[in-house]
Amino acid sequence: MAATVRPSWWQRWRLHAWARNGARLLLLLLLLGSVQGPWHVRAGQAVEYLKREHSLSKPYQGVGTSSSSLWNLMGNAMVMTQYIRLTPDMQSKQGALWNRVPCFLKDWELQVHFKIHGQGKKNLHGDGLAIWYTKDRMQPGPVFGNMDKFVGLGVFVDTYPNEEKQQEAQKRRYSPGVQRVFPYISAMVNNGSLSYDHERDGRPTELGGCTAIVRNLRYDTFLVIRYVKRHLTIMMDIDGKHEWRDCIEMPGVRLPRGYYFGTSSITGDLSDNHDVISLKLFELTGVRTPEEEKLHRDVFLPSVDNLKLPEMTVPPAPLSGLALFLIVFFSLVFSVFAIVIGIILYNKWQDQSRKRFY
């Protein structure tokens, strides 16, 4: 039998070194692929890259109230192990979750995994939640927990039909072509001049909407907001089929860059649990022609083509202390000067009057 030839210590060391380097290289490629690689590529569409600074998922690291957190909580919002609860199923609560990093992407897609559930029966629950891309953040208010007359985009998942209940109280009926079925998803672009009409469920200012039965479902519910080349698309996956269904399609939407993503909710006399499981933002990268680049230049105020928004009236800036002092000072000097001139002219007039009598 032939003797077995054992590798030398030098050969064994080289084999171990190759194995270690190969493992490190594989780990590095996996990390680079997870951070910089595309999430997926759809036929005929742009490549999508996950932007972690604008995304949130379990175990919800980087969420808090400090200035170093990527996501800030507000109001009654609280972090749980499986979700972030914006509002509990209790009356008169409001909460919000806001990204601290402004978004400067031209084209993007936001996927929202959420859940709305509670003990309330039909039409005895409320009020819903909103997803925001706005100039201001962490501003509590009456519009699903956010400020009114916001600047930017708001997408609302409204679960209570305020207008329908008012019509019923007045013993009036909707015409079949006007009545909505709730819960209802709608969108609104605002330049700071418009108020959200709660009594009419935002109908006067909405870009469009659709019915979305999202309460107390056993399967996951998703909403996607896509903004590509001034084209706003909102779709939903609420049937448990893992398929996107169209809800709103609006071309000519002009949104500035540098705004903040957030989500908020509010309850009143009626309530629900409003939970957010994840928020994932993807950068959409596609080829733009020079004409498209010229057409899609940055804007400084939200607007929608062929939709006239009232111009925002900017209040005059308050005067500084120095400016106010200078105005008062020169006013007094002018008054004293006018009084002195008046006295001199009066004395001359008196002298001329005396000379006439002599």
Side-chain angles (χ1 to χ4, degrees):
M1 179 179 290
T4 304
V5 179
R6 300 182 63 184
S8 64
W9 67 270
W10 171 252
Q11 292 174 328
R12 291 197 301 269
W13 181 85
R14 291 186 65 182
L15 288 173
H16 285 300
W18 288 342
R20 287 196 303 269
N21 292 335
R24 290 172 182 172
L25 180 60
L26 179 60
L27 180 60
L28 180 61
L29 290 175
L30 289 175
L31 289 174
L32 288 175
S34 63
V35 175
Q36 299 294 338
W39 179 60
H40 65 271
V41 181
R42 296 174 181 167
Q45 294 187 5
V47 181
E48 300 184 357
Y49 292 87
L50 178 65
K51 307 302 291 184
R52 297 188 181 275
E53 66 271 26
H54 301 297
S55 300
L56 178 69
S57 58
K58 292 181 285 189
Y60 306 122
Q61 297 178 351
V63 180
T65 56
S66 66
S67 59
S68 61
S69 302
L70 288 178
W71 293 86
N72 296 139
L73 298 175
M74 187 177 66
N76 301 113
M78 52 186 174
V79 180
M80 313 297 284
T81 56
Q82 299 298 318
Y83 51 82
I84 294 180
R85 177 150 292 170
L86 300 177
T87 56
D89 192 359
M90 300 173 63
Q91 295 180 340
S92 303
K93 301 293 182 180
Q94 72 176 46
L97 173 70
W98 283 94
N99 191 204
R100 191 175 59 87
V101 182
C103 177
F104 289 94
L105 304 178
K106 285 186 177 182
D107 301 322
W108 47 264
E109 177 179 292
L110 179 65
Q111 295 184 9
V112 184
H113 183 188
F114 68 97
K115 187 176 183 63
I116 301 177
H117 57 105
Q119 300 297 322
K121 303 301 179 182
K122 182 179 180 181
N123 290 338
L124 293 176
H125 48 78
D127 286 327
L129 61 83
I131 300 101
W132 303 98
Y133 176 69
T134 56
K135 179 180 179 181
D136 302 298
R137 61 186 292 272
M138 304 290 286
Q139 299 293 326
V143 186
F144 294 91
N146 191 36
M147 63 182 291
D148 197 9
K149 294 188 176 182
F150 59 91
V151 179
L153 169 68
V155 177
F156 313 116
V157 184
D158 194 349
T159 59
Y160 184 75
N162 292 284
E163 187 175 14
E164 180 180 338
K165 292 304 178 182
Q166 290 183 5
Q167 295 285 343
E168 290 179 358
Q170 298 173 4
K171 297 182 179 181
R172 298 167 58 186
R173 292 185 178 181
Y174 273 116
S175 61
V178 177
Q179 189 172 9
R180 295 173 171 176
V181 178
F182 279 73
Y184 191 84
I185 296 176
S186 63
M188 174 182 175
V189 170
N190 198 352
N191 61 3
S193 64
L194 300 174
S195 290
Y196 180 84
D197 192 342
H198 281 279
E199 295 183 355
R200 299 194 60 193
D201 302 310
R203 188 190 295 258
T205 53
E206 72 172 26
L207 299 179
C210 66
T211 296
I213 308 302
V214 296
R215 286 193 73 252
N216 291 338
L217 299 180
R218 296 182 179 179
Y219 40 82
D220 294 332
T221 50
F222 298 88
L223 181 71
V224 63
I225 306 169
R226 181 180 299 160
Y227 181 67
V228 181
K229 297 180 181 179
R230 309 294 191 214
H231 198 103
L232 179 67
T233 304
I234 298 175
M235 298 180 290
M236 55 186 177
D237 176 10
I238 60 173
D239 301 320
K241 299 179 180 179
H242 303 288
E243 296 178 355
W244 293 119
R245 181 152 55 92
D246 292 336
C247 178
I248 300 173
E249 192 89 12
M250 178 60 64
V253 177
R254 301 177 181 270
L255 298 176
R257 294 193 290 172
Y259 284 10
Y260 298 92
F261 288 105
T263 179
S264 65
S265 178
I266 193 170
T267 65
D269 294 334
L270 303 175
S271 62
D272 254 338
N273 294 308
H274 299 94
D275 302 335
V276 173
I277 293 92
S278 68
L279 294 163
K280 295 182 180 180
L281 184 76
F282 298 92
E283 179 182 10
L284 306 183
T285 59
V287 178
R288 290 174 179 262
T289 64
E291 291 76 13
E292 288 177 334
E293 287 289 350
K294 185 177 180 180
L295 182 64
H296 300 153
R297 289 178 178 174
D298 287 345
V299 295
F300 301 98
L301 201 62
S303 64
V304 181
D305 293 349
N306 302 320
L307 180 63
K308 180 65 174 178
L309 296 179
E311 294 185 1
M312 183 174 57
T313 57
V314 180
L319 294 175
S320 63
L322 178 61
L324 186 61
F325 170 77
L326 292 176
I327 292 175
V328 173
F329 175 76
F330 284 110
S331 298
L332 291 175
V333 170
F334 179 78
S335 300
V336 172
F337 181 76
I339 292 173
V340 171
I341 294 298
I343 293 173
I344 293 174
L345 293 176
Y346 179 73
N347 290 334
K348 287 185 176 181
W349 178 77
Q350 281 190 331
D351 291 341
Q352 291 177 357
S353 298
R354 292 193 189 100
K355 290 178 181 180
R356 291 175 185 173
F357 288 108
Y358 294 105

